Amino acid sequence: MRPVLYVTFDGILQPLGYSQVARIVCGLSLRGIPYRLVSLERPVDLADDDLVRSVRGRLSEASVEWTAIPYDVSGTTKAVSYTHLRAHETVLD
């Protein structure tokens, strides 16, 4: 069975993103629905090695493949466009 692709623009390294996205995806994956999760993450969150390792471990235990994409938090049109382009490129890989 091919995995379900879930792309979220809410960082799962944030508590709200984790509870609304990753927790649900893990539960479904443990019930036999494979997932590939792509999330946009704040660079400051990705720099927290312990947090990333913890979340990656929980996702891995549930057999969820996770790709985290850092995004430019400036909010400029150019930054947002670039982030969306990177997300689409990742999904198409």
Side-chain angles (χ1 to χ4, degrees):
M1 174 184 283
R2 296 182 71 183
V4 173
L5 175 64
Y6 193 123
V7 180
T8 179
F9 289 84
D10 297 319
I12 64 165
L13 295 174
Q14 291 288 305
L16 186 61
Y18 185 85
S19 69
Q20 291 183 341
V21 177
R23 191 174 57 82
I24 307 303
V25 166
C26 284
L28 291 169
S29 184
L30 288 170
R31 287 168 179 77
I33 303 170
Y35 272 88
R36 177 176 179 212
L37 177 60
V38 176
S39 65
L40 300 182
E41 304 291 341
R42 297 182 327 163
V44 67
D45 292 333
L46 287 171
D48 185 339
D49 292 335
D50 291 336
L51 175 61
V52 172
R53 190 173 15 264
S54 173
V55 169
R56 188 170 300 283
R58 284 181 261 162
L59 292 169
S60 180
E61 287 173 8
S63 300
V64 175
E65 179 186 342
W66 177 42
T67 302
I69 301 172
Y71 69 89
D72 183 335
V73 295
S74 68
T76 65
T77 303
K78 182 178 179 179
V80 171
S81 298
Y82 179 70
T83 299
H84 281 248
L85 176 64
R86 289 192 58 213
H88 287 282
E89 289 173 343
T90 299
V91 168
L92 295 176
D93 282 345

